[in-house]
Amino acid sequence: MPATWTRRLVAAGLAAGLLAAAAGCGSGDDAADGDITLTVGLFGDFGFGPLYEEYERDNPGIQIEERIAEFADHHTNLTQRLATGSGAADIEAVEVGFISQFTAVPNRFHNLLDHGAGDLEGRWLDWKWQQALSQDGAELIGLGTDVGGMAMCYRTDLFEEAGLPTDRDEVSALWIDSWGDYVETGKDYLAATDDDSYFFESAGNMFRAMIEQAPVGVYDTDNTLLVEDNPVVSDAWETTVEAIEAGMSNRLTAWTPEWTAAFGQGTFATIICPAWMTAYIEGNAPDAAGLWDVAAVPGGAGNMGGAHLTLPAQGDHPEEAYAFIEWLTEPEQQLRVFQETGNFPSTPELYDDPALTEFSKEYFNDAPIGEIFTDAAQQVQPQYQGPLQGDVLATIGQGLGRIEDGSQSPAEAWAQVLSDVESLA
Amino acid sequence: MSTVATIRRYRPPRLAYLTLLAVLFFSGFPLYFSLVVASQDNSALGRMPPPLLPGANLVDNVRRVFETVPFGAALVNSLIVSATITASVVLFSTLAGFAFAKLKFRASNTLLLLVVATMMVPAQLGIVPLYLMMIRFGWTDSLQAVIVPALVNAFGVFFMTQYLREALPTELLEAGRIDGAASHRLFWHVVLPVARPAAAVLGMLTFLTAWNDYFWPLVVLSSPDNYTVQVALSNLRSGYVTDFSLVLTGTLLATVPLLVVFGLLGRHIIGGIMQGAVKG
Amino acid sequence: MTTTRPAATVPPGAPSTGTPGRHRGPQGTSWQQRRYRWDVKGTPYLYIAPFFILFAVFGLFPLGYTAWVSLHDWSLLSDEQTFVGLANYRELLTDAYFWNALRNTISILILGTVPQLFFALIIAHLLTMRLRGQTFFRLGMLLPNVASVVAVAVIFSQLFGRDFGLINWVLESIGVGRIDWQAGTASSHIAIAVMIAWKWTGYNALIYLAAMQAVPRDLYESATLDGASWWRQLTSITIPMIRPTIIFTVIISTIYGLQIFAEPQLFAGGGQDTITGGSSRQFQTLTLYLYEHGFNRGFQFGYASATAWVMFGIIVVVAAANYLLVRRIRSSA
């Protein structure tokens, strides 16, 4: 008996030792007394890393800690944390599809107008500013980071193999007029390539792009759902279904391991490119430098994605947090984020700055992405975003997924989308 | 034992060994595979055929896991949670088990039946009210929200009752009584020594369960500094999916402490499971 | 050996060690007796008190409270809770997605449990042989049980990956072709069932092994003399003899299986699919369904509570069925 007890003790000690060692690695940044740690909750990498360091250097006593969660989880968790009044970060990012869900409960956030944000209104594109205002305009819950003016990224090597043009102007010309032309190009592409090469990664993305380009999307300005009644929605659905049925979709779900790996393997030829997507392409396929290029998106301008930084009311350091996000969303910082990652500034002041407009990236075959995305951002017509915008689009995306994996006919999928969307509200 | 073996002598033992070795292979392979991916860089994710041998990036990946998410804090949180729950479950289960097994009191059978019956109740049944209670107490997003509801469980009481009923000689207790020992003395000096092996097994099973618990911590914990290992792991998986070698490194790190304990104490755990089985 | 221990460890001079009524005077006696009586009568309650107090607050009370919440339109996001009677139950029982989740749960349960227990029986049977390295084999069997469900789900989701998973690579190499495990109903159920079976087969094998060792050996002896094969001995001696243990494992596996959550949640790659269990809800289980309504969109606690009670009802029905089965076997034995 004593022997086994000794062994148990040893085991416990060993486990504890391992844990202590592990803990030691993790907590290297013990803050001195009086330091304030600002936590920043994001979905995905916003490319803020170098900026945190700089801000910490210039503002002794401020520590910044980043938390990243998955896109859908992030917004659900935020809802839960706001409701229970605990667990939210000092600064929480909110994506455009979810912003109106939160402007509906402005009391859960610090009103940034109380912190002097009113003087900064001119910093942002007007619609970007409006999106973070409460319905009565008395409260502002967030400051804009990036906007997602759209382009189309494509693989020049795969286009060449398929006998399609590779020059970005010629590629743009293939489909600039309409999504129908894009689908036709896809058919040509499929006809010229073998079975495991696809024209785009996911149908949901294509559908969302079309919706974002419309003046009115899935919501009316009085928050009526328009999924069934807006012809734009059903047209977009049909065009997407046509593409799926032609076999163009690689059937990937964004932000899954498969999706990530597919970039590296080059299994699809095009992807809808809001500015922020360029960061993912580069990150997911570091070896594909020079193979990607950027052309115009079919169907005109539209905004897809982009975020605001908000300050949940439960945060203890609104002053410091506000000062930080105010700095972080300054044009100068937004420009650096763009140059670093590709997230496109929401501050028009930069739109005639050569540092932005003449920016190009070797990775994207030296495509003038500064110019492309500036044009895209300037042409964006604001679209009203309803309270469950993000969930509605995700639900429709699932419907397209069911067609993609063959489990439902388009008619069945559409019927289910309608009833699912109904039960969301 | 020997008779069983004598009879089986005629069977082809080689096939038995081969079958068991195959089972061992399938048991061990997924864990081995997570080590393989954890020691590669992320490009291994899309490689075909998938890598089957460990690479050289393990140390680097481990470092990055700790840099990316507060994994150290998660390990410490899990240790605090699991150790507290284990100590409490073992103590209170032994106390109650002793009372149910050897002490006479009114309604003891009814109460024991209640305990056994609640073992059938799924954990999910209490989730919503527990969550509402935690909000009321102001405990959401804190470790006590994970610890306190788990301080006792019906299985522990049932397990100790069954064990002590068999293993604790009634004469021993009576002898103690005649010597004038009060109940708490009997408990410390008679019951505990007898209960020790079962307590060790219950402790290990409880620790394992607490360490691996996922649903409730996922619901109630919200800030990464308070995450337990399993929640940190699921967060790592969902937020950093673009780097899957990182995710599997986290998986490995979450499992290694248990593997160490298992390696050292596995035989006792097996003994406990088999013992519990006979009783059950 | 242990019998001598208590006497030795009770300190002789301690005040309470005096046997009541033997060494003390009359005054002391009555005090001691009262104390003794209190000790004998009260202590049991004292010992079960910590358990029952905590259990009542965090175990029993929530059960009743769930019932109360389930009768309300109760959302985390709103401060008002309206009494709605059985409306949540009505809505639940008419929701096709609930029935879908129930079907999925039962399908995964059967796929994960039946082969699992079958293999556990075979493995246990093999382990009763006089093998070299008994301990080694037993340890190996139990190894998967140490890994958390989260770890299991993460690792297996990778192995079952559509494009770059090891399993599909093997299937393709041997000419079977790739399977989109997540997309299909049957294939996703199989994948999740494999995760469950992988984790629990060895555990159950050990339980069976323990039960098999209690089977009288002469039964095997005479069977061997009669020339009964290995398989025959398994089916006509071992299985009937350890039937109660088998039923015990069936009940435990059933309760566990009806609560499956982490495997399907993490098996879905990402986004909405992690809550709905795939785009067609092809592997959404009951707990995932509860999670979707209670802790995701809407945070409808009333509805989630109703789901929890219905789940409990299902478990009771299954457990009762099993109990009747046990009784029948006992009475026929």
Side-chain angles (χ1 to χ4, degrees):
Chain A
M1 218 45 190
T4 59
W5 280 104
T6 322
R7 283 177 65 178
R8 262 171 224 157
L9 223 74
V10 169
L14 235 156
L18 266 172
L19 289 162
C25 305
S27 53
D29 53 355
D30 281 341
D33 281 341
D35 276 11
I36 288 172
T37 301
L38 294 176
T39 46
V40 184
L42 306 175
F43 52 92
D45 187 356
F46 278 41
F48 287 160
L51 296 176
Y52 297 149
E53 279 170 34
E54 181 180 325
Y55 195 78
E56 286 172 343
R57 205 166 46 240
D58 296 347
N59 296 273
I62 302 279
Q63 300 276 332
I64 295 153
E65 200 183 287
E66 189 178 64
R67 312 165 171 178
I68 295 182
E70 194 258 346
F71 179 73
D73 290 350
H74 172 83
H75 294 98
T76 313
N77 292 345
L78 181 55
T79 311
Q80 184 180 359
R81 289 160 194 181
L82 292 176
T84 58
S86 68
D90 294 296
I91 297 156
E92 291 274 6
V94 173
E95 203 247 5
V96 60
F98 293 85
I99 190 76
S100 40
Q101 183 183 327
F102 294 115
T103 51
V105 284
N107 59 329
R108 306 277 194 198
F109 296 89
H110 290 291
N111 182 358
L112 304 185
L113 296 176
D114 296 344
H115 292 266
D119 303 337
L120 304 173
E121 187 174 345
R123 184 189 282 181
W124 289 274
L125 287 163
D126 183 52
W127 54 269
K128 187 79 178 172
W129 170 266
Q130 299 288 342
Q131 278 172 341
L133 278 177
S134 63
Q135 222 125 40
D136 58 4
E139 283 158 291
L140 182 79
I141 68 161
L143 302 183
T145 57
D146 62 318
V147 291
M150 285 184 282
M152 182 71 78
C153 294
Y154 66 99
R155 286 274 296 236
T156 51
D157 56 333
L158 298 178
F159 267 48
E160 191 167 359
E161 272 174 49
L164 292 170
T166 55
D167 175 78
R168 65 185 74 93
D169 293 329
E170 288 175 49
V171 170
S172 299
L174 287 175
W175 57 54
I176 188 75
D177 289 336
S178 76
W179 284 97
D181 291 345
Y182 175 73
V183 174
E184 290 309 313
T185 311
K187 286 178 181 165
D188 294 344
Y189 178 84
L190 291 183
T193 51
D194 51 18
D195 283 349
D196 45 4
S197 189
Y198 302 91
F199 194 51
F200 55 76
E201 32 87 72
S202 116
N205 242 351
M206 174 179 167
F207 175 83
R208 185 170 172 191
M210 283 186 265
I211 294 300
E212 303 286 12
Q213 289 170 337
V216 178
V218 292
Y219 271 103
D220 212 342
T221 45
D222 60 0
N223 288 339
T224 323
L225 262 174
L226 292 178
V227 178
E228 191 166 10
D229 302 325
N230 187 353
V232 168
V233 179
S234 43
D235 287 352
W237 173 271
E238 270 156 35
T239 310
T240 313
V241 167
E242 186 188 347
I244 294 171
E245 290 184 329
M248 285 177 211
S249 171
N250 201 357
R251 309 199 281 119
L252 296 161
T253 307
W255 296 285
T256 58
E258 304 280 300
W259 183 77
T260 303
F263 281 92
Q265 302 301 306
T267 56
F268 56 87
T270 67
I271 184 168
I272 317 280
C273 252
W276 49 263
M277 185 64 87
T278 59
Y280 286 96
I281 296 175
E282 214 178 327
N284 291 347
D287 300 335
L291 299 179
W292 283 96
D293 207 320
V294 188
V297 73
N303 178 69
M304 181 162 155
H308 289 85
L309 296 176
T310 67
L311 307 183
Q314 56 192 264
D316 287 333
H317 311 292
E319 290 295 326
E320 293 79 4
Y322 177 76
F324 176 56
I325 61 168
E326 198 270 311
W327 177 82
L328 204 57
T329 54
E330 275 174 13
E332 193 188 331
Q333 273 63 253
Q334 293 210 24
L335 177 63
R336 285 167 57 194
V337 168
F338 171 71
Q339 288 167 339
E340 198 65 38
T341 66
N343 290 359
F344 195 78
S346 53
T347 48
E349 171 190 328
L350 289 170
Y351 295 172
D352 45 23
D353 184 339
L356 181 76
T357 54
E358 289 171 16
F359 185 77
S360 68
K361 238 179 195 173
E362 221 179 306
Y363 183 92
F364 289 95
N365 208 6
D366 290 320
I369 54 178
E371 187 191 324
I372 293 171
F373 289 120
T374 305
D375 287 350
Q378 281 175 321
Q379 286 168 26
V380 165
Q381 295 297 312
Q383 183 196 78
Y384 179 74
Q385 308 276 307
L388 295 174
Q389 185 89 14
D391 289 336
V392 170
L393 290 174
T395 303
I396 302 177
Q398 282 198 311
L400 292 165
R402 292 192 293 274
I403 305 174
E404 284 183 307
D405 64 27
S407 60
Q408 282 184 346
S409 72
E412 287 166 344
W414 181 245
Q416 189 176 330
V417 162
L418 290 182
S419 74
D420 283 356
V421 163
E422 193 71 30
S423 67
L424 279 180
Chain B
M1 197 70 198
S2 65
T3 30
V4 178
T6 321
I7 296 146
R8 300 289 152 74
R9 206 169 42 199
Y10 307 106
R11 315 279 159 244
R14 189 160 297 169
L15 188 65
Y17 278 110
L18 284 178
T19 316
L20 287 173
L21 283 173
V23 173
L24 281 192
F25 172 79
F26 285 113
S27 292
F29 183 79
L31 292 173
Y32 169 76
F33 185 72
S34 71
L35 172 71
V36 170
V37 180
S39 60
Q40 305 272 349
D41 64 30
N42 197 43
S43 67
L45 179 59
R47 213 179 293 152
M48 272 296 171
L52 289 175
L53 291 172
N57 274 344
L58 184 61
V59 176
D60 190 46
N61 284 338
V62 170
R63 189 181 49 74
R64 285 194 309 132
V65 168
F66 284 105
E67 278 173 7
T68 317
V69 286
F71 211 77
L75 285 166
V76 172
N77 289 340
S78 274
L79 184 67
I80 294 170
V81 166
S82 311
T84 315
I85 291 175
T86 303
S88 159
V89 165
V90 170
L91 176 66
F92 292 143
S93 298
T94 313
L95 272 174
F98 170 45
F100 279 124
K102 294 292 165 180
L103 302 179
K104 290 188 184 69
F105 58 101
R106 219 184 296 191
S108 73
N109 282 334
T110 320
L111 287 174
L112 186 61
L113 197 69
L114 178 71
V115 171
V116 175
T118 49
M119 283 166 62
M120 298 283 175
V121 178
Q124 282 84 344
L125 189 48
I127 286 284
V128 165
L130 262 185
Y131 191 72
L132 292 170
M133 283 163 76
M134 295 305 144
I135 294 175
R136 181 68 60 84
F137 298 167
W139 285 5
T140 48
D141 192 29
S142 71
L143 287 187
Q144 67 254 40
V146 181
I147 294 172
V148 177
L151 284 178
V152 295
N153 70 54
F155 170 76
V157 172
F158 176 69
F159 183 83
M160 288 313 277
T161 304
Q162 295 291 87
Y163 180 82
L164 289 174
R165 203 171 261 169
E166 306 268 324
L168 187 62
T170 311
E171 313 83 65
L172 199 61
L173 291 170
E174 279 162 1
R177 287 269 187 226
I178 289 163
D179 285 351
S183 298
H184 67 97
R185 256 173 212 289
L186 288 176
F187 180 74
W188 286 112
H189 300 298
V190 181
V191 180
L192 269 191
V194 173
R196 217 191 257 178
V201 169
L202 178 63
M204 282 181 279
L205 292 177
T206 308
F207 192 89
L208 200 72
T209 313
W211 183 274
N212 286 341
D213 194 17
Y214 175 58
F215 188 65
W216 174 242
L218 175 74
V219 165
V220 82
L221 297 177
S222 41
S223 45
D225 294 335
N226 292 328
Y227 280 172
T228 59
V229 166
Q230 306 307 329
V231 182
L233 189 56
S234 91
N235 185 246
L236 189 68
R237 181 196 153 280
S238 70
Y240 300 87
V241 70
T242 44
D243 196 341
F244 213 70
S245 58
L246 200 65
V247 177
L248 279 181
T249 307
T251 312
L252 206 62
L253 284 172
T255 316
V256 161
L258 292 184
L259 286 177
V260 171
V261 175
F262 180 71
L264 292 170
L265 303 175
R267 280 192 302 143
H268 300 278
I269 302 180
I270 286 173
I273 290 171
M274 291 177 63
Q275 208 161 37
V278 181
K279 305 276 151 40
Chain C
M1 187 193 108
T2 36
T3 43
T4 57
R5 219 193 238 167
T9 44
V10 175
S16 65
T17 51
T19 308
R22 227 193 266 171
H23 309 301
R24 306 293 155 113
Q27 225 181 352
T29 304
S30 81
W31 188 82
Q32 287 285 341
Q33 267 172 345
R34 230 177 307 138
R35 195 188 147 118
Y36 175 78
R37 208 173 306 133
W38 186 89
D39 184 41
V40 169
K41 286 207 158 167
T43 307
Y45 297 104
L46 198 67
Y47 285 1
I48 59 168
F51 170 78
F52 272 101
I53 289 170
L54 283 165
F55 188 63
V57 176
F58 297 103
L60 293 177
F61 169 70
L63 299 190
Y65 199 38
T66 313
W68 175 244
V69 174
S70 77
L71 302 176
H72 290 76
D73 183 5
W74 190 315
S75 165
L76 176 66
L77 306 179
S78 103
D79 295 328
E80 285 192 17
Q81 292 107 28
T82 351
F83 185 84
V84 294
L86 295 174
N88 284 325
Y89 291 89
R90 262 197 300 278
E91 197 184 328
L92 179 74
L93 296 176
T94 51
D95 183 7
Y97 293 158
F98 165 75
W99 295 104
N100 170 65
L102 178 61
R103 261 196 312 278
N104 289 339
T105 308
I106 290 172
S107 158
I108 291 170
L109 174 71
I110 292 171
L111 284 171
T113 308
V114 175
Q116 177 200 144
L117 297 182
F118 175 75
F119 284 122
L121 264 177
I122 305 272
I123 292 167
H125 199 62
L126 292 175
L127 284 174
T128 55
M129 297 182 185
R130 192 166 56 181
L131 299 162
R132 284 168 200 276
Q134 278 278 6
T135 312
F136 171 72
F137 280 119
R138 290 181 188 181
L139 278 174
M141 299 301 147
L142 199 59
L143 190 62
N145 201 245
V146 173
S148 71
V149 275
V150 179
V152 173
V154 168
I155 297 169
F156 274 86
S157 301
Q158 173 66 12
L159 291 172
F160 278 111
R162 181 188 74 185
D163 295 337
F164 309 108
L166 182 72
I167 292 171
N168 267 354
W169 175 73
V170 171
L171 289 180
E172 195 167 47
S173 310
I174 61 172
V176 176
R178 298 168 170 282
I179 293 170
D180 190 346
W181 293 97
Q182 272 97 344
T185 307
S187 61
S188 60
H189 291 190
I190 290 170
I192 293 167
V194 166
M195 299 181 203
I196 300 167
W198 180 75
K199 187 168 157 65
W200 292 102
T201 302
Y203 181 88
N204 284 310
L206 289 178
I207 290 182
Y208 290 153
L209 177 61
M212 285 178 192
Q213 285 176 348
V215 176
R217 279 136 217 173
D218 48 351
L219 286 176
Y220 291 107
E221 270 166 36
S222 50
T224 311
L225 289 176
D226 292 346
S229 69
W230 174 88
W231 176 254
R232 218 180 134 82
Q233 290 189 17
L234 177 69
T235 50
S236 48
I237 301 176
T238 311
I239 292 180
M241 288 303 289
I242 65 163
R243 210 169 227 168
T245 307
I246 295 178
I247 286 163
F248 167 77
T249 56
V250 167
I251 297 178
I252 296 294
S253 309
T254 305
I255 295 175
Y256 176 84
L258 288 172
Q259 301 181 49
I260 289 294
F261 171 74
E263 291 90 342
Q265 194 224 4
L266 296 166
F267 184 54
Q272 212 65 33
D273 290 358
T274 59
I275 294 136
T276 56
S279 60
S280 311
R281 297 174 180 263
Q282 64 269 34
F283 51 93
Q284 186 182 44
T285 57
L286 284 173
T287 308
L288 208 47
Y289 180 85
L290 186 155
Y291 185 70
E292 179 190 8
H293 288 278
F295 296 95
N296 215 273
R297 291 178 298 198
F299 295 88
Q300 306 149 327
F301 283 173
Y303 193 76
S305 299
T307 313
W309 265 103
V310 172
M311 273 180 76
F312 179 55
I314 293 165
I315 288 176
V316 167
V317 168
V318 174
N322 281 310
Y323 176 72
L324 292 177
L325 217 63
V326 177
R327 277 229 316 211
R328 232 184 59 187
I329 282 159
R330 275 199 191 141
S331 56
S332 68

